[in-house]
Amino acid sequence: MRICFVGSGTLRGFREEYENANEEIGQDTKKADLFIFGFGGMGEVNYEKELKGETNYFEDAALLSKTGKTIVVCGCITDTRGHKRKSVLVAENGRLSGVSDMLNVIDGELASGAALRVYDTNAGRMGVIVAEDLNFPDVVKSLAVCGSDFIVCPFGRLRDSLQSVLLRASAYCYGVPIFFCADGYCMIADASGNVAFASPHSPVYAEFENVKEYHLIETRRRGFYHT
């Protein structure tokens, strides 16, 4: 699996450069199974303006996914009649697959979302963590239990090394790799809790082989008697 992390710059600017590079260099050089953008890729998206055709942020993502025959994941701020949320857009092969919203909002800075979602893609079942939802282990656990083969986490700007620790711990505890893309830093934490890839560059490509392991875990618990 080949992943392209784009932590800086806009999705539209990257799409234009990507299309030009394909013409000049050849598509195999720039091809990836998954493109992940941070929250600078789109900025703020107003749903009403998108529906009226006044803006075309979602179209840019769909076009990039169509050109590259790939999956595009991009963080953004969505505005629904004044209710702003941190969200992640997912597009594949020229179509918009959906938008996931951040569930846990700290101190009411933005509105919260309502549900988690696992996307069926050509690369496997993909769970989505929206930004600071990474701080809540139940989010990762739920996505893993619901059958995610891998999880993506677009993020904003890093303030310390906490996210790196959380990524490794979550990937290890719930047995699913996490692909992380922030402003100025990207990382892959594998299911063993190791850093499989990390880089401050953008765009940057990484190769990753997702090895699935299953183990039988037995526990003893008081109560729960058979009748």
Side-chain angles (χ1 to χ4, degrees):
M1 184 178 188
R2 194 173 194 221
I3 306 109
C4 177
F5 296 92
V6 188
S8 61
T10 65
L11 188 150
R12 178 173 297 176
F14 177 85
R15 180 175 69 84
E16 293 173 353
E17 293 180 4
Y18 178 81
E19 291 175 350
N20 292 335
N22 284 342
E23 294 177 359
E24 297 175 3
I25 302 175
Q27 189 165 343
D28 290 339
T29 305
K30 298 293 182 179
K31 186 173 176 57
D33 300 297
L34 173 63
F35 287 89
I36 308 176
F37 294 80
F39 273 77
M42 288 187 179
E44 186 170 312
V45 180
N46 185 291
Y47 278 125
E48 188 174 357
K49 291 182 178 179
E50 280 287 302
L51 291 173
K52 290 181 179 179
E54 297 176 9
T55 60
N56 53 2
Y57 294 107
F58 290 177
E59 182 182 5
D60 285 334
L63 288 173
L64 175 59
S65 71
K66 182 178 180 180
T67 301
K69 298 179 181 178
T70 184
I71 308 160
V72 174
V73 178
C74 185
C76 60
I77 303 295
T78 53
D79 184 348
T80 310
R81 295 186 177 275
H83 295 279
K84 296 184 179 182
R85 299 177 175 87
K86 282 190 176 181
S87 306
V88 169
L89 166 75
V90 178
E92 183 177 16
N93 294 332
R95 294 184 178 183
L96 179 65
S97 300
V99 178
S100 295
D101 297 326
M102 190 169 75
L103 300 185
N104 302 281
V105 176
I106 302 172
D107 296 332
E109 296 177 358
L110 297 167
S112 62
L116 291 172
R117 182 171 176 182
V118 176
Y119 296 84
D120 288 307
T121 73
N122 290 333
R125 290 175 59 81
M126 180 180 73
V128 174
I129 300 174
V130 183
E132 282 79 11
D133 270 348
L134 177 65
N135 299 340
F136 298 85
D138 285 348
V139 173
V140 186
K141 181 179 180 181
S142 298
L143 291 172
V145 169
C146 289
S148 297
D149 295 316
F150 60 94
I151 295 174
V152 297
C153 179
F155 205 85
R157 182 177 293 276
L158 293 179
R159 295 182 176 86
D160 50 43
S161 60
L162 175 62
Q163 280 70 38
S164 176
V165 176
L166 288 171
L167 282 166
R168 296 178 62 189
S170 298
Y172 172 77
C173 288
Y174 303 115
V176 58
I178 304 176
F179 307 152
F180 179 82
C181 184
D183 184 2
Y185 184 73
C186 61
M187 173 180 167
I188 298 175
D190 65 22
S192 299
N194 298 318
V195 178
F197 175 82
S199 175
H201 302 297
S202 175
V204 62
Y205 290 80
E207 299 284 349
F208 179 76
E209 182 180 358
N210 189 5
V211 179
K212 301 178 184 179
E213 291 187 14
Y214 298 89
H215 301 275
L216 176 64
I217 300 175
E218 298 183 13
T219 60
R220 296 180 65 186
R221 187 169 180 178
R222 190 182 298 274
F224 289 91
Y225 300 107
H226 291 289
T227 58

